[in-house]
């Protein structure tokens, strides 16, 4: 019998040419990089281009597939509510959001143990909590209750939490984040989430929960932070208007060597002139604007028009439609095509105009129609419209909903707003929406299979 | 002492950061008492980089014993058995050839984040690992009987075996909600299974007169394969994926590699049939009609079922050889019975690549043309795992046939040559099978997808004409 004389570490071989995971999350630099890994997801394909549009865009009555009829025709399944639990789009969005939540949890679990500047450490954890809340808010609106993972887990195969539990978790994250996050950053940190961003998102979360008092109180907190509407609705959406007075939560996009761009604007850009021409305004949206509303022609970019910036809009594909989303329009003069059309266009996730409308809606539901009218009229005034004629609670409610539609058009709110306000069944019936089913999208079949049935499907799928 | 360092290649085109080493010590004792009682015991200690430090070294013992009854004095007076032996063995072994998966690297995101219009590098951990991944082991027990009759001209061997493969290291699906980028290739101790069976062999060497010598043999092995443990408790569906659908399900009580999918109930012949059928994703005239197993009017995941397994019921072989003066002849037959092959080639090429002739000829191309084969289409709703792709994998083969002629010795002696033999041989000249692929012998090295025919190259037939010369 032989006795081993070997050293115990003979079998320990370090990885070559890569950072071993246990060696990461040791320094301040690691913490900063790990938080950047969350931000980079905000402008990813899943979160800002196709999958996002399948769920937040196309199902609404304001957006349709666009491009030319034959291109990516599978997207029509989202317009007509014929998608299934096996559909790639449902699956892609789901996977992406969970990857993003995984990145937030890496920071939330690991960064507190790093020996580094305490203020920065707290801020980075708070940024991650705000972003985790944002991803969960996306998931809960699209899929309903989902499993809650507060930090990294040993076991991820757990049943879905309820919608209420998920909202409570989101609210907790946002409240904790708002306590720590600064309201402003130096120019070098512009694009990091702020206190106002966390509170703004929180007021929207309360709106979805119909917790009117809290939605009202928190939106008032946001208003008190000193935001104001950009007086120029065109400037608001141009590169020059980025991080302006109205910006509450905005993703910084650019095109710098080695860092790439975003396809958010490219997929929507005028077909074969600027971009791919997908996710275009419908005639239903076109007719939703009141006469004299300046937002109409600043939201819809038309074939043949010449923009204020001097670009003549001539599509390069005769089979394409004649209307595109103007809010993502990047004039030729400021475009940097190195990373694709529109790669420099920031993604506006939350604007102060919406905070005013949240405040108005909550106030109206609380019976405070005076405040509701005041806030609503601020938004209307910027659009060159007169004061609302609505005065009663029900008429104001409808007026605010309608204002949300035209103010936030093409910004990913219409479908979830219709579901939230109970209008989806009537507004979307002609598109194929089935009440009791299509308020939520199916949990992807793959996810259900992989869970060995621990995850359950939404009703009707 | 034996130390082996192997550079295990995982990414053929890149530097492999995951090196593996194996370290072993080994000891053995043999005991033989008068050729009657035989005992062999061994023990080895193995360590491998592939396992977490919690379970890096294991000790693997093995013992076997034999009793040659025919050598006992009480057997002296009988002449029925010329040889009789009872034997049994038990042993444990570890498999160190696993992918190193308990350590992982961080992921660097090349696109980084922008703050204030300036790029900032991004890096984090995106994978999940099993930090406690441990040894994959096998534990085998067998009992056997060896009998020789007629001065060992007739030999019979029979063995019962029971082999447990425990904690097999394999990549499986981890819940996607973990956010892990390797959610579909999470490497862990994924499953355990049992292989039970019987092995029998008969061999007879005889002579007819002085000139004709002959030998015949036959053997058979039966197999009963069953999963005894699986990650997640009851089942897991690892790849391969085709349009998001998995083919194989590992489930307790089922054979390893069993196919899981829809049962084809026919082909939709016309629109009326389509309209009358249960709700089914992408149902169309000329497409597969799936069986609604739970009878709820909806074809979904709950209608999937086990469609077959790659594990044969039994394998067998037989053959004979003859020598008549200077001529010799030998032939070996071999066969496999009762396994199923998943014709993934057909599935993935359904739409727009090449099809085999049988698939083309039998395709549905109008009402009444086929109720088994669908039309050729690239409709991904049709191309989902189903019973159409599961085929009988049984085969029977002439493994080897050889004929020889040896020149008479006396003509050679003067040349200083001992022997010259001319021969004509064929390997695998004939295989009979029903399977619609190149070869029923799949030889897929993946231990779960072993029955999935994914571009398997056929076995070649070899014909030889040769001369043996011995000086």
């Amino acid at each position: 019998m032989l006795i081993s004389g070997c050293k115990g570490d003979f079998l320990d071989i370090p990885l070559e040419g890569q950072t071993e995971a246990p060696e990461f999350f040791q320094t301040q630099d690691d913490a900063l990089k790990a938080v950047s890994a969350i931000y980079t997801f905000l402008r990813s394909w899943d979160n800002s281009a196709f999958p996002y549009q399948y769920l937040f865009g196309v199902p609404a009555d304001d957006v349709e597939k666009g491009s030319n009829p034959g291109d990516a025709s599978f997207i029509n399944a989202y317009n007509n509510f014929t998608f299934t639990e096996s559909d790639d789009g449902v699956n892609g969005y789901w996977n992406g959001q969970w990857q993003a939540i995984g990145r937030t949890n890496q920071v939330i679990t690991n960064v507190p143990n790093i020996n580094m500047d305490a203020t920065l450490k707290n801020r980075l954890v708070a940024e991650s909590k705000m972003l985790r809340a944002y991803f969960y808010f996306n998931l809960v609106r699209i899929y309903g209750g989902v499993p809650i993972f507060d930090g990294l887990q040993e076991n991820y195969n757990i049943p879905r939490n309820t919608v209420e539990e998920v909202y409570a978790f989101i609210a907790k994250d946002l409240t904790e984040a708002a306590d720590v996050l600064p309201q402003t950053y130096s120019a070098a940190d512009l694009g990091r989430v702020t206190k106002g961003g966390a509170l703004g998102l929180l007021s929207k979360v309360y709106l979805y929960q119909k917790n009117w008092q809290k939605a009202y109180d928190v939106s008032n907190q946001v208003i008190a932070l000193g935001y104001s509407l950009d007086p120029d609705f065109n400037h608001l959406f141009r590169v020059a208007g980025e991080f302006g007075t109205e910006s509450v939560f905005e993703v910084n996009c650019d095109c710098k060597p080695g860092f790439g761009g975003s396809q958010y604007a490219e997929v929507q850009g005028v077909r074969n002139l600027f971009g791919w021409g997908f996710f275009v305004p419908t005639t239903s949206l076109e007719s939703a604007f009141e006469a004299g509303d300046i937002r109409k022609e600043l939201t819809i970019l038309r074939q043949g028009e010449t923009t204020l910036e001097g670009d003549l809009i001539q599509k390069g594909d005769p089979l394409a439609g004649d209307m595109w989303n103007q809010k993502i329009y990047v004039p030729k003069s400021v475009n940097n095509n190195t990373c694709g059309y529109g790669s420099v266009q920031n993604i506006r996730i939350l604007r102060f105009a919406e905070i005013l409308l949240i405040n108005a809606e909550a106030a109206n539901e609380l019976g405070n129609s005076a405040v509701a009218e005041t806030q609503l009229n601020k938004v209307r005034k910027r659009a060159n419209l007169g004061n609302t004629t609505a005065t009663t609670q029900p008429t104001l409610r409808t007026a605010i909903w309608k204002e949300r539609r035209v103010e936030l058009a093409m910004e990913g709110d219409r479908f979830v707003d219709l579901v939230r306000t109970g209008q989806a069944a009537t507004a979307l019936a002609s598109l194929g929406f089935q009440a009791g089913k299509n308020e939520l999208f199916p949990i992807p079949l793959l996810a259900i299979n992989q869970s060995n049935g621990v995850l359950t499907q939404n009703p009707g799928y | 002492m034996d130390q082996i360092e192997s550079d295990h290649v995982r990414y053929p085109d890149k530097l492999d950061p995951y090196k593996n080493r194996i370290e072993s010590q080994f000891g053995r004792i043999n005991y033989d008492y008068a050729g009657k009682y035989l005992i062999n015991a061994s023990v080895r200690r193995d360590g491998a980089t592939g396992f977490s430090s919690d379970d890096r070294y294991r000790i693997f013992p093995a013992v076997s014993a034999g009793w040659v009854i025919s050598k006992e004095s009480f057997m002296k007076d009988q002449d029925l058995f010329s040889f009789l032996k009872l034997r049994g063995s038990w042993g444990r072994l570890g498999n160190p050839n696993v992918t190193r998966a308990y350590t992982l690297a961080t992921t660097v995101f090349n696109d980084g984040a922008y703050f204030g219009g300036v790029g900032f590098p991004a890096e984090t951990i995106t994978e999940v690992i099993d930090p406690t991944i441990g040894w994959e082991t096998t534990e085998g027990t067998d009992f056997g009987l060896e009998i020789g009759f007629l001065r060992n001209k007739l030999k019979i061997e029979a063995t019962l075996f029971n082999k447990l493969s425990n904690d097999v290291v394999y990549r499986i699906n981890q819940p996607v909600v973990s956010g892990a980028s390797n959610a579909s290739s999470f490497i862990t101790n994924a499953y355990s299974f049992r292989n039970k069976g019987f092995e029998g062999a008969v061999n007879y060497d005889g002579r007819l007169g002085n000139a004709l010598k002959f030998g015949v043999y036959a053997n058979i092995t039966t197999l009963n394969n069953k999963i005894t443990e699986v990650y997640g408790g009851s089942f897991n569906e690892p790849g391969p994926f085709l349009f998001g659908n998995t083919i194989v399900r590992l489930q307790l009580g089922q054979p390893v590699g069993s196919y899981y999918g829809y049962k084809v109930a026919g082909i939709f012949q016309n629109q009326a049939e389509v309209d009358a059928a249960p709700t089914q994703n992408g149902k169309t005239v000329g497409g597969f009609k799936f069986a609604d197993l739970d009878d709820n009017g909806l074809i979904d995941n709950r209608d999937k079922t086990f469609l077959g397994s790659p594990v044969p019921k039994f394998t067998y072989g037989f053959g004979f050889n003859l020598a008549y003066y200077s001529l010799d002849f030998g032939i070996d037959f071999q066969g496999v019975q009762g396994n199923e092959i998943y014709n993934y080639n057909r599935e993935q090429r359904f739409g727009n690549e090449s099809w085999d002739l049988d698939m083309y000829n039998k395709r549905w191309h109008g009402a009444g043309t086929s109720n088994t084969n669908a039309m050729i289409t690239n409709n991904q709703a049709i191309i989902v795992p189903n019973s159409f792709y599961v085929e009988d994998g049984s085969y029977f083969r002439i493994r080897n046939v050889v004929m020889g002629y040896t020149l008479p010795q006396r003509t050679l002696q003067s040349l200083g040559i001992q022997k010259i033999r001319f021969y004509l041989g064929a390997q695998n000249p004939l295989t009979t099978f029903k399977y619609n692929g190149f070869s029923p012998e799949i030889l897929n090295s993946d231990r779960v997808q072993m029955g999935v025919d994914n571009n398997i190259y056929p076995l070649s037939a070899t014909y030889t004409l040769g001369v043996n010369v011995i000086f």
Side-chain angles (χ1 to χ4, degrees), chain A residues 154-204:
Chain A
E154 288 277 313
N155 174 26
Y156 285 93
N157 201 15
I158 60 168
R160 300 171 63 177
N161 288 80
T162 63
V163 170
E164 292 70 29
E165 287 166 342
V166 174
Y167 272 124
F169 181 61
I170 293 169
K172 180 170 173 286
D173 264 355
L174 291 172
T175 308
E176 288 173 10
D179 285 345
V180 175
L181 290 174
Q183 176 53 14
T184 53
Y185 287 94
S186 68
D189 277 323
L190 215 50
R192 292 188 182 274
V193 291
T194 60
K195 180 188 186 71
L199 291 174
L201 198 57
L202 183 59
S203 69
K204 190 165 176 177

Side-chain angles (χ1 to χ4, degrees), chain A residues 1-22 24-25 29-30 32-37 39-40 43 82 84-86 88 94-95 98-99 102-103 106-107 110 127 147 149 154 156-157 187-192 243 252-261 339 445-453 455 461, chain B residues 1 3-5 11 15-23 25-27 43 45 47-49 53 56-57 100 102-106 109-128 131 173-181 183-184 231-237 241 243-246 249 262 281 298 300-302 304 380:
Chain A
M1 189 76 70
L2 289 158
I3 306 299
S4 168
C6 297
K7 284 191 205 143
D9 59 6
F10 174 70
L11 298 179
D12 279 323
I13 312 170
L15 298 178
E16 283 176 13
Q18 299 193 25
T19 307
E20 268 194 67
F24 197 66
F25 287 118
D29 191 46
D30 292 343
L32 284 162
K33 282 179 178 164
V35 173
S36 291
Y39 280 99
T40 191
R43 67 176 212 274
T82 55
T84 69
E85 58 181 351
S86 306
D88 269 357
W94 171 269
N95 290 353
W98 287 113
Q99 282 175 18
R103 294 182 202 175
Q106 288 288 350
V107 173
N110 289 315
E127 287 177 56
F149 301 119
E154 288 277 313
Y156 285 93
N157 201 15
D189 277 323
L190 215 50
R192 292 188 182 274
F243 295 123
N252 192 197
C253 297
D254 214 304
C255 175
K256 295 282 156 67
F259 289 92
C339 313
L445 177 62
L446 267 178
I448 290 179
N449 285 349
Q450 284 162 355
S451 76
N452 284 359
L455 293 179
Y461 290 103
Chain B
M1 162 123 6
Q3 290 191 338
I4 304 157
E5 180 169 353
Y11 307 110
L15 168 83
D16 176 16
Y18 295 89
K19 270 192 181 171
N20 272 349
R21 280 191 188 136
I22 297 166
E23 180 188 345
Q25 295 98 37
F26 182 76
V43 61
R45 178 174 177 271
T49 312
S53 50
R56 185 159 287 171
Y57 292 93
R100 176 172 161 183
Y102 67 93
T103 45
L104 74 163
T106 54
F109 297 92
N110 291 326
D111 46 357
Y114 285 110
F115 300 117
V118 177
F120 194 94
E123 179 175 1
T124 196
I125 298 169
T126 64
E127 294 182 40
V128 284
N173 286 321
Q174 167 82 355
V176 164
V177 291
S178 65
S181 57
S184 61
Y231 179 90
S234 55
F235 67 85
N236 196 280
E237 295 181 352
F241 292 90
F243 310 130
N245 296 294
T246 56
R249 174 182 271 207
Y262 297 108
N281 191 19
L298 172 70
D300 66 5
N301 211 28
R302 291 165 282 250
K304 288 185 175 178
Q380 293 180 7

Side-chain angles (χ1 to χ4, degrees), chain B residues 432-443:
Chain B
T432 61
F433 57 95
K434 291 186 212 146
Y435 174 60
N436 288 300
F438 288 134
S439 164
E441 209 165 13
I442 298 304
L443 304 170

